[in-house]
RNA sequence: CUCUGUUAACGA
């Protein structure tokens, strides 16, 4: 197991799901018993790649083998459910952890607090923070970073600042993540100058801006209408010795597309490729969207094709963009084809997808299809508005 | 040997 466990972790990190299954068989054949750590590594890997159900099955499997899950097993699964926004299941699991005679750790609390922050339930997040103190776990910089992010989510800048100050008052030293989180909140909630001030503070504290800091600032400038400053900052980033990454370029591509500067956007795309940075699904979706909006479906499909050729998987947003453009131009049948494609890829259409298709069908007078979609949406637990 | 926090895209 000491040889196999790190191997399993490594394979998951590289996204080699099939090889992990193969390795599990090899272990069985050689009579090597998996340990709790083996399962923890597998559960974690499955969750990282979004396979919550498969992870749960591993959890069941390990218990069936007589292995007792430890706090790490629970924390991993808890994190998976929290990330998926399934706090109900997470709470049930927390009960299970306690029933198993285990005590939650600071990570257990941080995971749950982060889960509540992500769904915007700061009341519950706060309550858990108090509970963790009562249980003798002191909130750390990670706890406060989640709380600041949650405050940002509910657009409460004052609250984000309070959490930051409280962190300082507890004698905790904010790290780069904590500063970046606060800076992003300041920028997004209308306090750009405070954001830049904080970057100075951060430097004085001996924490240098990293790529994420720059990306947050560049994106913030783009979104407050300062495209030129954003471009300048990107150049400053390079002169400061930091390499722009895929996200840096994607922010700039998006900003240019929004302003209809598609030529410039393409220039950034080419620059990113020539810097050996592979464009992501987000990058392609932005370009597809820009051409669709312009009414140039031909070019939009050119990008879609390129994306597929490069082996970049389209996601639900990519399909929503295409479906939107097709429905709007009265090509509901073609839109429908994409709808099926997305199901084949295991992507879940959301409320927006259904609405687009229902609207398209209604416009063309296909009431039967529209009604069928409506019921299908209901069956999938999506409530119309 | 395994568990937590920060950045980009659709919005009818």
């Amino acid at each position: 197991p000491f040889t196999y466990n790190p191997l399993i972790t490594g394979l998951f990190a590289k996204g080699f799901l099939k090889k992990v299954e193969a390795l599990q068989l090899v272990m069985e054949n050689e009579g090597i018993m998996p340990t709790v750590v083996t399962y923890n590594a597998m559960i974690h890997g499955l969750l990282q790649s979004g396979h919550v159900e498969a992870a749960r099955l591993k959890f069941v499997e390990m218990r069936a083998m007589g292995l007792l899950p430890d706090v790490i097993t629970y924390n991993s699964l808890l994190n998976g459910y929290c990330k998926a926004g399934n706090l109900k299941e997470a709470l049930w699991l927390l009960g299970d952890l306690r029933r198993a005679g285990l005590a939650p750790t600071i990570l257990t609390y941080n995971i749950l607090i982060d889960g509540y922050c992500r769904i915007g339930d700061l009341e519950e997040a706060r309550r858990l923070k108090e509970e963790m103190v009562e249980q003798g776990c002191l909130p750390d910089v990670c706890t406060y970073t989640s709380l600041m992010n949650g405050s940002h989510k509910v657009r409460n800048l004052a609250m984000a600042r309070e959490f930051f100050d409280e962190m300082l008052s507890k004698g905790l030293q904010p790290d780069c993540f904590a500063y970046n989180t606060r800076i992003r909140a300041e920028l997004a909630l209308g306090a750009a100058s405070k954001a830049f001030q904080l970057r100075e503070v951060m430097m004085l504290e001996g924490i240098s801006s990293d790529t994420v800091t720059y990306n947050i600032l560049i994106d913030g400038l783009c979104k407050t209408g300062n495209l030129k400053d954003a471009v300048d900052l990107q150049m400053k980033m390079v002169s400061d010795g930091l390499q722009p990454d895929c996200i840096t370029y994607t922010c700039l591509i998006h900003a240019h597309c929004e302003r209809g500067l598609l030529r410039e956007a393409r220039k950034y795309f080419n620059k990113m490729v020539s810097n050996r940075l592979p464009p992501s699904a987000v990058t392609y979706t932005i370009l597809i969207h820009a051409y669709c909006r312009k009414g140039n479906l031909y070019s939009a499909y050119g990008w879609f094709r390129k994306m597929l050729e490069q082996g970049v998987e389209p996601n639900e947003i990519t399909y929503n963009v295409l479906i939107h453009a097709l429905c709007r131009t009265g090509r509901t049948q073609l839109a429908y084809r994409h709808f099926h494609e997305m199901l084949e890829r295991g992507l879940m259409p959301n409320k927006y997808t259904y609405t687009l298709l229902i609207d398209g069908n209604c416009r063309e007078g296909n009431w039967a299809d529209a009604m069928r979609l409506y019921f299908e949406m209901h069956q999938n637990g999506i409530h119309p508005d």
Side-chain angles (χ1 to χ4, degrees), chain A residues 322-350:
Chain A
L322 289 169
I323 290 172
H324 181 120
L326 292 169
C327 285
R328 220 187 35 193
T329 54
R331 281 171 267 208
T332 313
Q333 286 315 307
L334 286 174
Y336 218 72
R337 200 181 290 180
H338 281 310
F339 179 76
H340 289 297
E341 247 174 70
M342 84 191 271
L343 294 175
E344 280 162 24
R345 286 183 189 272
L347 300 171
M348 280 306 252
N350 58 23

Side-chain angles (χ1 to χ4, degrees), chain A residues 177-294:
Chain A
F177 281 45
Y179 275 107
N180 288 347
T181 305
R182 166 95 191 264
I183 289 172
R184 186 169 80 103
E186 297 284 346
L187 269 169
L189 303 175
S193 59
K194 186 78 191 170
F196 282 91
Q197 237 172 279
L198 274 158
R199 193 172 64 132
E200 302 298 322
V201 175
M202 169 178 183
M203 293 209 299
L204 289 173
E205 294 288 331
I207 300 164
S208 42
S209 302
D210 63 1
T211 307
V212 175
T213 318
Y214 275 101
N215 288 348
I216 287 167
L217 291 169
I218 289 168
D219 188 51
L221 287 172
C222 287
K223 291 186 172 143
T224 53
N226 259 315
L227 185 50
K228 189 180 177 316
D229 288 350
V231 169
D232 290 346
L233 193 60
Q234 189 260 347
M235 292 192 293
K236 189 176 178 302
M237 168 178 192
V238 176
S239 64
D240 282 357
L242 283 169
Q243 285 306 318
D245 63 7
C246 169
I247 294 183
T248 321
Y249 283 110
T250 303
C251 289
L252 290 168
I253 290 170
H254 181 229
H256 284 91
C257 282
E258 266 192 325
R259 281 153 242 240
L261 305 168
L262 302 200
R263 242 199 131 69
E264 280 295 300
R266 281 204 315 265
K267 253 172 58 188
Y268 280 106
F269 181 90
N270 292 334
K271 203 185 282 183
M272 121 183 236
V273 172
S274 63
N275 286 348
R276 315 236 162 257
L277 293 168
S280 66
V282 177
T283 321
Y284 282 108
T285 303
I286 288 167
L287 287 157
I288 294 167
H289 183 227
Y291 283 97
C292 282
R293 242 186 11 181
K294 236 181 95 184

Side-chain angles (χ1 to χ4, degrees), chain A residues 64-277:
Chain A
M65 288 191 62
L67 291 171
L68 288 181
D70 62 8
V71 179
I72 296 182
T73 323
Y74 281 101
N75 286 348
S76 288
L77 268 174
L78 229 30
N79 191 31
Y81 284 122
C82 285
K83 289 280 144 61
N86 193 347
L87 273 290
K88 236 187 167 67
E89 198 66 30
L91 282 186
W92 199 87
L93 211 63
L94 178 68
D96 208 26
L97 176 153
R98 291 201 162 111
R99 262 165 281 165
L102 298 167
T105 65
I106 180 168
L107 295 194
T108 317
Y109 285 110
N110 283 351
I111 288 163
L112 285 165
I113 288 172
D114 188 63
Y116 279 110
C117 286
R118 290 184 126 76
I119 61 169
D121 189 348
L122 270 94
E123 294 299 313
E124 199 54 28
R126 253 184 217 286
R127 205 196 55 70
L128 271 165
K129 177 177 149 262
E130 278 157 28
E131 185 184 319
M132 80 190 276
V133 176
E134 285 164 16
Q135 300 296 315
C137 286
L138 292 182
D140 63 6
V141 177
C142 293
T143 323
Y144 284 106
T145 303
S146 291
L147 289 164
M148 285 193 287
N149 229 350
S151 310
H152 172 183
K153 187 174 170 65
V154 299
R155 309 189 56 81
N156 190 338
L157 182 56
M159 193 188 257
R161 290 176 175 169
E162 277 168 30
F163 281 127
F164 189 87
D165 292 339
E166 184 179 319
M167 170 171 63
L168 294 178
S169 74
K170 303 274 180 197
L172 295 167
Q173 280 294 333
D175 61 7
C176 202
F177 281 45
Y179 275 107
N180 288 347
T181 305
R182 166 95 191 264
I183 289 172
R184 186 169 80 103
E186 297 284 346
L187 269 169
L189 303 175
S193 59
K194 186 78 191 170
F196 282 91
Q197 237 172 279
L198 274 158
R199 193 172 64 132
E200 302 298 322
V201 175
M202 169 178 183
M203 293 209 299
L204 289 173
E205 294 288 331
I207 300 164
S208 42
S209 302
D210 63 1
T211 307
V212 175
T213 318
Y214 275 101
N215 288 348
I216 287 167
L217 291 169
I218 289 168
D219 188 51
L221 287 172
C222 287
K223 291 186 172 143
T224 53
N226 259 315
L227 185 50
K228 189 180 177 316
D229 288 350
V231 169
D232 290 346
L233 193 60
Q234 189 260 347
M235 292 192 293
K236 189 176 178 302
M237 168 178 192
V238 176
S239 64
D240 282 357
L242 283 169
Q243 285 306 318
D245 63 7
C246 169
I247 294 183
T248 321
Y249 283 110
T250 303
C251 289
L252 290 168
I253 290 170
H254 181 229
H256 284 91
C257 282
E258 266 192 325
R259 281 153 242 240
L261 305 168
L262 302 200
R263 242 199 131 69
E264 280 295 300
R266 281 204 315 265
K267 253 172 58 188
Y268 280 106
F269 181 90
N270 292 334
K271 203 185 282 183
M272 121 183 236
V273 172
S274 63
N275 286 348
R276 315 236 162 257
L277 293 168

Side-chain angles (χ1 to χ4, degrees), chain A residues 53-74:
Chain A
E53 187 52 23
R56 198 190 59 86
L57 290 175
K58 282 282 171 236
F59 179 73
V60 173
E61 182 183 308
M62 80 187 279
R63 305 190 73 155
M65 288 191 62
L67 291 171
L68 288 181
D70 62 8
V71 179
I72 296 182
T73 323
Y74 281 101

Side-chain angles (χ1 to χ4, degrees), chain A residues 8-26:
Chain A
I8 286 173
T9 310
L11 287 175
F12 267 123
K14 295 248 176 233
F16 296 148
L17 247 74
K18 289 278 173 267
K19 305 211 176 184
V20 176
E21 285 174 23
L23 204 62
Q24 203 185 354
L25 285 176
V26 173

